[in-house]
PDB file of all heavy atoms in Angstrom:
ATOM      1  N   ALA A  24       0.864  -1.185   0.000  1.00 94.00           N
ATOM      2  CA  ALA A  24       0.000   0.000   0.000  1.00 94.00           C
ATOM      3  C   ALA A  24       0.899   1.233   0.000  1.00 94.00           C
ATOM      4  O   ALA A  24       1.742   1.404   0.872  1.00 94.00           O
ATOM      5  CB  ALA A  24      -0.901   0.006   1.219  1.00 94.00           C
ATOM      6  N   THR A  25       0.719   2.060  -1.014  1.00 94.00           N
ATOM      7  CA  THR A  25       1.533   3.257  -1.159  1.00 94.00           C
ATOM      8  C   THR A  25       0.757   4.277  -1.969  1.00 94.00           C
ATOM      9  O   THR A  25      -0.347   3.994  -2.422  1.00 94.00           O
ATOM     10  CB  THR A  25       2.899   2.911  -1.823  1.00 94.00           C
ATOM     11  OG1 THR A  25       3.753   4.045  -1.763  1.00 94.00           O
ATOM     12  CG2 THR A  25       2.735   2.445  -3.246  1.00 94.00           C
ATOM     13  N   SER A  26       1.321   5.431  -2.148  1.00 94.00           N
ATOM     14  CA  SER A  26       0.671   6.433  -2.997  1.00 94.00           C
ATOM     15  C   SER A  26       1.277   6.363  -4.397  1.00 94.00           C
ATOM     16  O   SER A  26       2.374   5.842  -4.597  1.00 94.00           O
ATOM     17  CB  SER A  26       0.868   7.838  -2.424  1.00 94.00           C
ATOM     18  OG  SER A  26       2.226   8.228  -2.553  1.00 94.00           O
ATOM     19  N   TYR A  27       0.563   6.902  -5.353  1.00 95.00           N
ATOM     20  CA  TYR A  27       1.062   6.981  -6.727  1.00 95.00           C
ATOM     21  C   TYR A  27       2.407   7.705  -6.747  1.00 95.00           C
ATOM     22  O   TYR A  27       3.356   7.258  -7.380  1.00 95.00           O
ATOM     23  CB  TYR A  27       0.043   7.721  -7.594  1.00 95.00           C
ATOM     24  CG  TYR A  27       0.501   7.963  -9.014  1.00 95.00           C
ATOM     25  CD1 TYR A  27       0.190   7.056 -10.019  1.00 95.00           C
ATOM     26  CD2 TYR A  27       1.231   9.102  -9.355  1.00 95.00           C
ATOM     27  CE1 TYR A  27       0.588   7.273 -11.333  1.00 95.00           C
ATOM     28  CE2 TYR A  27       1.640   9.317 -10.663  1.00 95.00           C
ATOM     29  CZ  TYR A  27       1.321   8.407 -11.641  1.00 95.00           C
ATOM     30  OH  TYR A  27       1.729   8.627 -12.934  1.00 95.00           O
ATOM     31  N   ASP A  28       2.473   8.847  -6.049  1.00 95.00           N
ATOM     32  CA  ASP A  28       3.704   9.642  -6.057  1.00 95.00           C
ATOM     33  C   ASP A  28       4.883   8.882  -5.449  1.00 95.00           C
ATOM     34  O   ASP A  28       6.001   8.961  -5.954  1.00 95.00           O
ATOM     35  CB  ASP A  28       3.498  10.974  -5.342  1.00 95.00           C
ATOM     36  CG  ASP A  28       2.617  11.927  -6.142  1.00 95.00           C
ATOM     37  OD1 ASP A  28       2.595  11.823  -7.389  1.00 95.00           O
ATOM     38  OD2 ASP A  28       1.945  12.768  -5.521  1.00 95.00           O
ATOM     39  N   ASN A  29       4.646   8.133  -4.368  1.00 95.00           N
ATOM     40  CA  ASN A  29       5.724   7.339  -3.768  1.00 95.00           C
ATOM     41  C   ASN A  29       6.182   6.230  -4.711  1.00 95.00           C
ATOM     42  O   ASN A  29       7.382   5.959  -4.828  1.00 95.00           O
ATOM     43  CB  ASN A  29       5.302   6.741  -2.429  1.00 95.00           C
ATOM     44  CG  ASN A  29       5.233   7.772  -1.330  1.00 95.00           C
ATOM     45  OD1 ASN A  29       5.792   8.853  -1.434  1.00 95.00           O
ATOM     46  ND2 ASN A  29       4.524   7.443  -0.268  1.00 95.00           N
ATOM     47  N   LEU A  30       5.245   5.589  -5.381  1.00 97.00           N
ATOM     48  CA  LEU A  30       5.580   4.538  -6.342  1.00 97.00           C
ATOM     49  C   LEU A  30       6.396   5.129  -7.490  1.00 97.00           C
ATOM     50  O   LEU A  30       7.439   4.592  -7.870  1.00 97.00           O
ATOM     51  CB  LEU A  30       4.309   3.873  -6.873  1.00 97.00           C
ATOM     52  CG  LEU A  30       4.504   2.803  -7.949  1.00 97.00           C
ATOM     53  CD1 LEU A  30       5.371   1.654  -7.454  1.00 97.00           C
ATOM     54  CD2 LEU A  30       3.143   2.290  -8.411  1.00 97.00           C
ATOM     55  N   LEU A  31       5.939   6.255  -8.021  1.00 97.00           N
ATOM     56  CA  LEU A  31       6.659   6.911  -9.100  1.00 97.00           C
ATOM     57  C   LEU A  31       8.063   7.306  -8.653  1.00 97.00           C
ATOM     58  O   LEU A  31       9.051   7.049  -9.359  1.00 97.00           O
ATOM     59  CB  LEU A  31       5.888   8.144  -9.586  1.00 97.00           C
ATOM     60  CG  LEU A  31       6.550   8.962 -10.693  1.00 97.00           C
ATOM     61  CD1 LEU A  31       6.743   8.127 -11.955  1.00 97.00           C
ATOM     62  CD2 LEU A  31       5.727  10.210 -10.986  1.00 97.00           C
ATOM     63  N   ASP A  32       8.194   7.904  -7.469  1.00 96.00           N
ATOM     64  CA  ASP A  32       9.506   8.312  -6.959  1.00 96.00           C
ATOM     65  C   ASP A  32      10.447   7.122  -6.818  1.00 96.00           C
ATOM     66  O   ASP A  32      11.628   7.215  -7.154  1.00 96.00           O
ATOM     67  CB  ASP A  32       9.369   9.015  -5.607  1.00 96.00           C
ATOM     68  CG  ASP A  32       8.770  10.414  -5.733  1.00 96.00           C
ATOM     69  OD1 ASP A  32       8.756  10.978  -6.848  1.00 96.00           O
ATOM     70  OD2 ASP A  32       8.306  10.939  -4.702  1.00 96.00           O
ATOM     71  N   GLU A  33       9.938   6.019  -6.307  1.00 97.00           N
ATOM     72  CA  GLU A  33      10.754   4.808  -6.128  1.00 97.00           C
ATOM     73  C   GLU A  33      11.253   4.286  -7.481  1.00 97.00           C
ATOM     74  O   GLU A  33      12.422   3.931  -7.634  1.00 97.00           O
ATOM     75  CB  GLU A  33       9.940   3.745  -5.404  1.00 97.00           C
ATOM     76  CG  GLU A  33      10.713   2.531  -4.989  1.00 97.00           C
ATOM     77  CD  GLU A  33      11.625   2.749  -3.795  1.00 97.00           C
ATOM     78  OE1 GLU A  33      11.367   3.660  -2.985  1.00 97.00           O
ATOM     79  OE2 GLU A  33      12.623   2.010  -3.670  1.00 97.00           O
ATOM     80  N   ILE A  34      10.375   4.247  -8.461  1.00 98.00           N
ATOM     81  CA  ILE A  34      10.753   3.768  -9.794  1.00 98.00           C
ATOM     82  C   ILE A  34      11.759   4.717 -10.442  1.00 98.00           C
ATOM     83  O   ILE A  34      12.779   4.285 -10.994  1.00 98.00           O
ATOM     84  CB  ILE A  34       9.494   3.588 -10.674  1.00 98.00           C
ATOM     85  CG1 ILE A  34       8.684   2.394 -10.162  1.00 98.00           C
ATOM     86  CG2 ILE A  34       9.879   3.396 -12.140  1.00 98.00           C
ATOM     87  CD1 ILE A  34       7.312   2.249 -10.797  1.00 98.00           C
ATOM     88  N   VAL A  35      11.499   6.010 -10.358  1.00 97.00           N
ATOM     89  CA  VAL A  35      12.403   7.012 -10.952  1.00 97.00           C
ATOM     90  C   VAL A  35      13.797   6.904 -10.343  1.00 97.00           C
ATOM     91  O   VAL A  35      14.803   6.889 -11.065  1.00 97.00           O
ATOM     92  CB  VAL A  35      11.824   8.433 -10.775  1.00 97.00           C
ATOM     93  CG1 VAL A  35      12.878   9.503 -11.026  1.00 97.00           C
ATOM     94  CG2 VAL A  35      10.631   8.632 -11.696  1.00 97.00           C
ATOM     95  N   GLN A  36      13.854   6.799  -9.024  1.00 97.00           N
ATOM     96  CA  GLN A  36      15.155   6.739  -8.342  1.00 97.00           C
ATOM     97  C   GLN A  36      15.893   5.433  -8.659  1.00 97.00           C
ATOM     98  O   GLN A  36      17.068   5.447  -9.013  1.00 97.00           O
ATOM     99  CB  GLN A  36      14.958   6.879  -6.834  1.00 97.00           C
ATOM    100  CG  GLN A  36      16.258   6.867  -6.066  1.00 97.00           C
ATOM    101  CD  GLN A  36      16.040   7.043  -4.572  1.00 97.00           C
ATOM    102  OE1 GLN A  36      14.942   6.837  -4.056  1.00 97.00           O
ATOM    103  NE2 GLN A  36      17.080   7.424  -3.873  1.00 97.00           N
ATOM    104  N   LYS A  37      15.221   4.329  -8.549  1.00 97.00           N
ATOM    105  CA  LYS A  37      15.881   3.029  -8.746  1.00 97.00           C
ATOM    106  C   LYS A  37      16.360   2.827 -10.181  1.00 97.00           C
ATOM    107  O   LYS A  37      17.389   2.206 -10.405  1.00 97.00           O
ATOM    108  CB  LYS A  37      14.940   1.895  -8.352  1.00 97.00           C
ATOM    109  CG  LYS A  37      15.547   0.535  -8.656  1.00 97.00           C
ATOM    110  CD  LYS A  37      15.039  -0.562  -7.812  1.00 97.00           C
ATOM    111  CE  LYS A  37      15.742  -1.827  -8.255  1.00 97.00           C
ATOM    112  NZ  LYS A  37      16.041  -2.740  -7.277  1.00 97.00           N
ATOM    113  N   PHE A  38      15.631   3.355 -11.156  1.00 97.00           N
ATOM    114  CA  PHE A  38      15.949   3.089 -12.554  1.00 97.00           C
ATOM    115  C   PHE A  38      16.477   4.312 -13.312  1.00 97.00           C
ATOM    116  O   PHE A  38      16.478   4.331 -14.538  1.00 97.00           O
ATOM    117  CB  PHE A  38      14.724   2.496 -13.261  1.00 97.00           C
ATOM    118  CG  PHE A  38      14.289   1.200 -12.645  1.00 97.00           C
ATOM    119  CD1 PHE A  38      13.154   1.142 -11.851  1.00 97.00           C
ATOM    120  CD2 PHE A  38      15.028   0.038 -12.820  1.00 97.00           C
ATOM    121  CE1 PHE A  38      12.746  -0.049 -11.264  1.00 97.00           C
ATOM    122  CE2 PHE A  38      14.633  -1.163 -12.237  1.00 97.00           C
ATOM    123  CZ  PHE A  38      13.494  -1.205 -11.457  1.00 97.00           C
ATOM    124  N   SER A  39      16.922   5.336 -12.574  1.00 96.00           N
ATOM    125  CA  SER A  39      17.586   6.523 -13.159  1.00 96.00           C
ATOM    126  C   SER A  39      16.742   7.219 -14.220  1.00 96.00           C
ATOM    127  O   SER A  39      17.214   7.536 -15.316  1.00 96.00           O
ATOM    128  CB  SER A  39      18.954   6.126 -13.745  1.00 96.00           C
ATOM    129  OG  SER A  39      19.744   5.522 -12.767  1.00 96.00           O
ATOM    130  N   LEU A  40      15.500   7.494 -13.881  1.00 97.00           N
ATOM    131  CA  LEU A  40      14.587   8.134 -14.822  1.00 97.00           C
ATOM    132  C   LEU A  40      14.342   9.614 -14.499  1.00 97.00           C
ATOM    133  O   LEU A  40      13.383  10.213 -14.988  1.00 97.00           O
ATOM    134  CB  LEU A  40      13.251   7.378 -14.856  1.00 97.00           C
ATOM    135  CG  LEU A  40      13.340   5.920 -15.271  1.00 97.00           C
ATOM    136  CD1 LEU A  40      11.984   5.242 -15.162  1.00 97.00           C
ATOM    137  CD2 LEU A  40      13.902   5.780 -16.677  1.00 97.00           C
ATOM    138  N   GLU A  41      15.213  10.212 -13.699  1.00 96.00           N
ATOM    139  CA  GLU A  41      15.046  11.605 -13.297  1.00 96.00           C
ATOM    140  C   GLU A  41      14.843  12.566 -14.469  1.00 96.00           C
ATOM    141  O   GLU A  41      14.011  13.478 -14.373  1.00 96.00           O
ATOM    142  CB  GLU A  41      16.231  12.078 -12.441  1.00 96.00           C
ATOM    143  CG  GLU A  41      16.296  11.483 -11.059  1.00 96.00           C
ATOM    144  CD  GLU A  41      17.012  10.138 -11.002  1.00 96.00           C
ATOM    145  OE1 GLU A  41      17.454   9.608 -12.058  1.00 96.00           O
ATOM    146  OE2 GLU A  41      17.122   9.596  -9.888  1.00 96.00           O
ATOM    147  N   PRO A  42      15.566  12.399 -15.613  1.00 95.00           N
ATOM    148  CA  PRO A  42      15.397  13.365 -16.708  1.00 95.00           C
ATOM    149  C   PRO A  42      13.964  13.448 -17.262  1.00 95.00           C
ATOM    150  O   PRO A  42      13.597  14.470 -17.839  1.00 95.00           O
ATOM    151  CB  PRO A  42      16.359  12.859 -17.790  1.00 95.00           C
ATOM    152  CG  PRO A  42      17.393  12.079 -17.049  1.00 95.00           C
ATOM    153  CD  PRO A  42      16.651  11.450 -15.902  1.00 95.00           C
ATOM    154  N   ILE A  43      13.175  12.406 -17.090  1.00 95.00           N
ATOM    155  CA  ILE A  43      11.812  12.427 -17.642  1.00 95.00           C
ATOM    156  C   ILE A  43      10.739  12.257 -16.561  1.00 95.00           C
ATOM    157  O   ILE A  43       9.577  12.057 -16.866  1.00 95.00           O
ATOM    158  CB  ILE A  43      11.640  11.347 -18.745  1.00 95.00           C
ATOM    159  CG1 ILE A  43      11.927   9.945 -18.211  1.00 95.00           C
ATOM    160  CG2 ILE A  43      12.494  11.675 -19.952  1.00 95.00           C
ATOM    161  CD1 ILE A  43      11.604   8.821 -19.188  1.00 95.00           C
ATOM    162  N   ARG A  44      11.125  12.390 -15.313  1.00 94.00           N
ATOM    163  CA  ARG A  44      10.218  12.136 -14.192  1.00 94.00           C
ATOM    164  C   ARG A  44       8.893  12.894 -14.307  1.00 94.00           C
ATOM    165  O   ARG A  44       7.823  12.337 -14.110  1.00 94.00           O
ATOM    166  CB  ARG A  44      10.892  12.490 -12.863  1.00 94.00           C
ATOM    167  CG  ARG A  44      10.074  12.038 -11.660  1.00 94.00           C
ATOM    168  CD  ARG A  44       9.814  13.155 -10.686  1.00 94.00           C
ATOM    169  NE  ARG A  44       9.154  12.663  -9.491  1.00 94.00           N
ATOM    170  CZ  ARG A  44       7.833  12.616  -9.353  1.00 94.00           C
ATOM    171  NH1 ARG A  44       7.039  12.961 -10.329  1.00 94.00           N
ATOM    172  NH2 ARG A  44       7.287  12.188  -8.238  1.00 94.00           N
ATOM    173  N   ASP A  45       8.958  14.165 -14.646  1.00 93.00           N
ATOM    174  CA  ASP A  45       7.748  14.985 -14.659  1.00 93.00           C
ATOM    175  C   ASP A  45       6.815  14.682 -15.817  1.00 93.00           C
ATOM    176  O   ASP A  45       5.704  15.210 -15.872  1.00 93.00           O
ATOM    177  CB  ASP A  45       8.122  16.467 -14.684  1.00 93.00           C
ATOM    178  CG  ASP A  45       8.799  16.904 -13.387  1.00 93.00           C
ATOM    179  OD1 ASP A  45       8.604  16.231 -12.350  1.00 93.00           O
ATOM    180  OD2 ASP A  45       9.532  17.905 -13.412  1.00 93.00           O
ATOM    181  N   ASN A  46       7.257  13.839 -16.748  1.00 93.00           N
ATOM    182  CA  ASN A  46       6.440  13.518 -17.915  1.00 93.00           C
ATOM    183  C   ASN A  46       5.963  12.070 -17.944  1.00 93.00           C
ATOM    184  O   ASN A  46       5.338  11.653 -18.913  1.00 93.00           O
ATOM    185  CB  ASN A  46       7.231  13.802 -19.199  1.00 93.00           C
ATOM    186  CG  ASN A  46       7.596  15.260 -19.302  1.00 93.00           C
ATOM    187  OD1 ASN A  46       6.758  16.130 -19.118  1.00 93.00           O
ATOM    188  ND2 ASN A  46       8.857  15.541 -19.566  1.00 93.00           N
ATOM    189  N   LEU A  47       6.271  11.319 -16.907  1.00 95.00           N
ATOM    190  CA  LEU A  47       5.913   9.895 -16.899  1.00 95.00           C
ATOM    191  C   LEU A  47       4.480   9.666 -16.455  1.00 95.00           C
ATOM    192  O   LEU A  47       3.933  10.408 -15.635  1.00 95.00           O
ATOM    193  CB  LEU A  47       6.841   9.124 -15.953  1.00 95.00           C
ATOM    194  CG  LEU A  47       8.295   9.030 -16.378  1.00 95.00           C
ATOM    195  CD1 LEU A  47       9.119   8.357 -15.285  1.00 95.00           C
ATOM    196  CD2 LEU A  47       8.423   8.271 -17.685  1.00 95.00           C
ATOM    197  N   ILE A  48       3.906   8.609 -16.990  1.00 94.00           N
ATOM    198  CA  ILE A  48       2.589   8.120 -16.572  1.00 94.00           C
ATOM    199  C   ILE A  48       2.780   6.665 -16.160  1.00 94.00           C
ATOM    200  O   ILE A  48       3.525   5.921 -16.795  1.00 94.00           O
ATOM    201  CB  ILE A  48       1.585   8.195 -17.739  1.00 94.00           C
ATOM    202  CG1 ILE A  48       1.410   9.641 -18.196  1.00 94.00           C
ATOM    203  CG2 ILE A  48       0.249   7.569 -17.348  1.00 94.00           C
ATOM    204  CD1 ILE A  48       0.652   9.759 -19.496  1.00 94.00           C
ATOM    205  N   LEU A  49       2.105   6.260 -15.092  1.00 96.00           N
ATOM    206  CA  LEU A  49       2.136   4.857 -14.672  1.00 96.00           C
ATOM    207  C   LEU A  49       0.797   4.207 -14.961  1.00 96.00           C
ATOM    208  O   LEU A  49      -0.259   4.804 -14.744  1.00 96.00           O
ATOM    209  CB  LEU A  49       2.432   4.736 -13.170  1.00 96.00           C
ATOM    210  CG  LEU A  49       3.766   5.295 -12.683  1.00 96.00           C
ATOM    211  CD1 LEU A  49       3.889   5.074 -11.177  1.00 96.00           C
ATOM    212  CD2 LEU A  49       4.941   4.673 -13.417  1.00 96.00           C
ATOM    213  N   ALA A  50       0.865   2.986 -15.448  1.00 96.00           N
ATOM    214  CA  ALA A  50      -0.332   2.159 -15.607  1.00 96.00           C
ATOM    215  C   ALA A  50      -0.128   0.912 -14.751  1.00 96.00           C
ATOM    216  O   ALA A  50       0.912   0.259 -14.842  1.00 96.00           O
ATOM    217  CB  ALA A  50      -0.545   1.785 -17.058  1.00 96.00           C
ATOM    218  N   ILE A  51      -1.084   0.622 -13.913  1.00 96.00           N
ATOM    219  CA  ILE A  51      -0.993  -0.527 -13.014  1.00 96.00           C
ATOM    220  C   ILE A  51      -1.961  -1.587 -13.515  1.00 96.00           C
ATOM    221  O   ILE A  51      -3.169  -1.345 -13.594  1.00 96.00           O
ATOM    222  CB  ILE A  51      -1.312  -0.114 -11.566  1.00 96.00           C
ATOM    223  CG1 ILE A  51      -0.316   0.975 -11.129  1.00 96.00           C
ATOM    224  CG2 ILE A  51      -1.256  -1.318 -10.633  1.00 96.00           C
ATOM    225  CD1 ILE A  51      -0.692   1.695  -9.869  1.00 96.00           C
ATOM    226  N   ASN A  52      -1.405  -2.731 -13.894  1.00 97.00           N
ATOM    227  CA  ASN A  52      -2.206  -3.808 -14.477  1.00 97.00           C
ATOM    228  C   ASN A  52      -3.088  -3.294 -15.615  1.00 97.00           C
ATOM    229  O   ASN A  52      -4.281  -3.562 -15.675  1.00 97.00           O
ATOM    230  CB  ASN A  52      -3.032  -4.522 -13.404  1.00 97.00           C
ATOM    231  CG  ASN A  52      -2.148  -5.207 -12.399  1.00 97.00           C
ATOM    232  OD1 ASN A  52      -1.108  -5.765 -12.729  1.00 97.00           O
ATOM    233  ND2 ASN A  52      -2.544  -5.149 -11.136  1.00 97.00           N
ATOM    234  N   GLU A  53      -2.458  -2.538 -16.512  1.00 95.00           N
ATOM    235  CA  GLU A  53      -3.075  -2.021 -17.738  1.00 95.00           C
ATOM    236  C   GLU A  53      -4.148  -0.957 -17.515  1.00 95.00           C
ATOM    237  O   GLU A  53      -4.940  -0.667 -18.398  1.00 95.00           O
ATOM    238  CB  GLU A  53      -3.609  -3.163 -18.612  1.00 95.00           C
ATOM    239  CG  GLU A  53      -2.510  -4.132 -19.025  1.00 95.00           C
ATOM    240  CD  GLU A  53      -3.009  -5.257 -19.914  1.00 95.00           C
ATOM    241  OE1 GLU A  53      -4.196  -5.250 -20.308  1.00 95.00           O
ATOM    242  OE2 GLU A  53      -2.204  -6.147 -20.209  1.00 95.00           O
ATOM    243  N   GLU A  54      -4.167  -0.353 -16.321  1.00 94.00           N
ATOM    244  CA  GLU A  54      -5.094   0.750 -16.051  1.00 94.00           C
ATOM    245  C   GLU A  54      -4.285   1.957 -15.611  1.00 94.00           C
ATOM    246  O   GLU A  54      -3.489   1.870 -14.679  1.00 94.00           O
ATOM    247  CB  GLU A  54      -6.095   0.375 -14.956  1.00 94.00           C
ATOM    248  CG  GLU A  54      -7.107  -0.644 -15.417  1.00 94.00           C
ATOM    249  CD  GLU A  54      -8.241  -0.805 -14.419  1.00 94.00           C
ATOM    250  OE1 GLU A  54      -8.553   0.136 -13.666  1.00 94.00           O
ATOM    251  OE2 GLU A  54      -8.816  -1.896 -14.396  1.00 94.00           O
ATOM    252  N   TYR A  55      -4.505   3.076 -16.298  1.00 93.00           N
ATOM    253  CA  TYR A  55      -3.780   4.294 -15.935  1.00 93.00           C
ATOM    254  C   TYR A  55      -4.116   4.706 -14.512  1.00 93.00           C
ATOM    255  O   TYR A  55      -5.262   4.614 -14.073  1.00 93.00           O
ATOM    256  CB  TYR A  55      -4.116   5.440 -16.892  1.00 93.00           C
ATOM    257  CG  TYR A  55      -3.501   5.256 -18.252  1.00 93.00           C
ATOM    258  CD1 TYR A  55      -4.289   4.944 -19.343  1.00 93.00           C
ATOM    259  CD2 TYR A  55      -2.134   5.381 -18.439  1.00 93.00           C
ATOM    260  CE1 TYR A  55      -3.733   4.766 -20.596  1.00 93.00           C
ATOM    261  CE2 TYR A  55      -1.563   5.203 -19.683  1.00 93.00           C
ATOM    262  CZ  TYR A  55      -2.366   4.896 -20.759  1.00 93.00           C
ATOM    263  OH  TYR A  55      -1.809   4.711 -21.992  1.00 93.00           O
ATOM    264  N   ALA A  56      -3.083   5.172 -13.806  1.00 92.00           N
ATOM    265  CA  ALA A  56      -3.262   5.684 -12.452  1.00 92.00           C
ATOM    266  C   ALA A  56      -2.982   7.182 -12.475  1.00 92.00           C
ATOM    267  O   ALA A  56      -2.333   7.687 -13.384  1.00 92.00           O
ATOM    268  CB  ALA A  56      -2.303   4.971 -11.499  1.00 92.00           C
ATOM    269  N   THR A  57      -3.480   7.894 -11.471  1.00 88.00           N
ATOM    270  CA  THR A  57      -3.254   9.339 -11.379  1.00 88.00           C
ATOM    271  C   THR A  57      -2.544   9.656 -10.072  1.00 88.00           C
ATOM    272  O   THR A  57      -2.504   8.834  -9.153  1.00 88.00           O
ATOM    273  CB  THR A  57      -4.581  10.113 -11.430  1.00 88.00           C
ATOM    274  OG1 THR A  57      -5.351   9.772 -10.273  1.00 88.00           O
ATOM    275  CG2 THR A  57      -5.360   9.794 -12.696  1.00 88.00           C
ATOM    276  N   SER A  58      -2.017  10.873 -10.002  1.00 88.00           N
ATOM    277  CA  SER A  58      -1.256  11.256  -8.805  1.00 88.00           C
ATOM    278  C   SER A  58      -2.127  11.286  -7.553  1.00 88.00           C
ATOM    279  O   SER A  58      -1.607  11.265  -6.441  1.00 88.00           O
ATOM    280  CB  SER A  58      -0.568  12.605  -9.014  1.00 88.00           C
ATOM    281  OG  SER A  58      -1.518  13.601  -9.261  1.00 88.00           O
ATOM    282  N   GLU A  59      -3.433  11.312  -7.713  1.00 86.00           N
ATOM    283  CA  GLU A  59      -4.326  11.282  -6.545  1.00 86.00           C
ATOM    284  C   GLU A  59      -4.605   9.850  -6.077  1.00 86.00           C
ATOM    285  O   GLU A  59      -5.259   9.640  -5.061  1.00 86.00           O
ATOM    286  CB  GLU A  59      -5.666  11.946  -6.875  1.00 86.00           C
ATOM    287  CG  GLU A  59      -5.580  13.423  -7.195  1.00 86.00           C
ATOM    288  CD  GLU A  59      -5.190  13.690  -8.648  1.00 86.00           C
ATOM    289  OE1 GLU A  59      -5.593  12.924  -9.539  1.00 86.00           O
ATOM    290  OE2 GLU A  59      -4.463  14.668  -8.881  1.00 86.00           O
ATOM    291  N   SER A  60      -4.120   8.881  -6.823  1.00 85.00           N
ATOM    292  CA  SER A  60      -4.439   7.475  -6.544  1.00 85.00           C
ATOM    293  C   SER A  60      -3.715   6.935  -5.323  1.00 85.00           C
ATOM    294  O   SER A  60      -2.533   7.176  -5.134  1.00 85.00           O
ATOM    295  CB  SER A  60      -4.063   6.588  -7.731  1.00 85.00           C
ATOM    296  OG  SER A  60      -4.750   6.950  -8.887  1.00 85.00           O
ATOM    297  N   GLU A  61      -4.444   6.191  -4.511  1.00 90.00           N
ATOM    298  CA  GLU A  61      -3.846   5.353  -3.486  1.00 90.00           C
ATOM    299  C   GLU A  61      -3.652   4.003  -4.161  1.00 90.00           C
ATOM    300  O   GLU A  61      -4.557   3.492  -4.794  1.00 90.00           O
ATOM    301  CB  GLU A  61      -4.766   5.229  -2.269  1.00 90.00           C
ATOM    302  CG  GLU A  61      -4.160   4.503  -1.096  1.00 90.00           C
ATOM    303  CD  GLU A  61      -2.985   5.224  -0.457  1.00 90.00           C
ATOM    304  OE1 GLU A  61      -2.904   6.468  -0.524  1.00 90.00           O
ATOM    305  OE2 GLU A  61      -2.132   4.534   0.108  1.00 90.00           O
ATOM    306  N   VAL A  62      -2.464   3.458  -4.055  1.00 93.00           N
ATOM    307  CA  VAL A  62      -2.121   2.258  -4.806  1.00 93.00           C
ATOM    308  C   VAL A  62      -2.039   1.058  -3.866  1.00 93.00           C
ATOM    309  O   VAL A  62      -1.368   1.123  -2.839  1.00 93.00           O
ATOM    310  CB  VAL A  62      -0.772   2.458  -5.534  1.00 93.00           C
ATOM    311  CG1 VAL A  62      -0.378   1.217  -6.291  1.00 93.00           C
ATOM    312  CG2 VAL A  62      -0.847   3.663  -6.461  1.00 93.00           C
TER     313      VAL A  62
END
């Protein structure tokens, strides 16, 4: 259980995606998630 923003931050940090962080979208099990989402 985490927030969308925490999940995004973890992925960006672990996989060196900082240059495109502000433009990324996450889809969880083929469904788009939003920054307001509790994951």
Side-chain angles (χ1 to χ4, degrees):
T25 189
S26 70
Y27 175 93
D28 289 332
N29 287 342
L30 177 59
L31 178 61
D32 288 343
E33 188 74 25
I34 290 171
V35 165
Q36 182 179 19
K37 175 154 180 145
F38 299 106
S39 304
L40 300 175
E41 289 86 358
I43 59 172
R44 189 233 186 269
D45 293 338
N46 298 312
L47 293 175
I48 299 169
L49 299 181
I51 301 167
N52 296 322
E53 300 181 5
E54 289 191 27
Y55 288 109
T57 64
S58 60
E59 296 83 35
S60 300
E61 186 66 28
V62 179

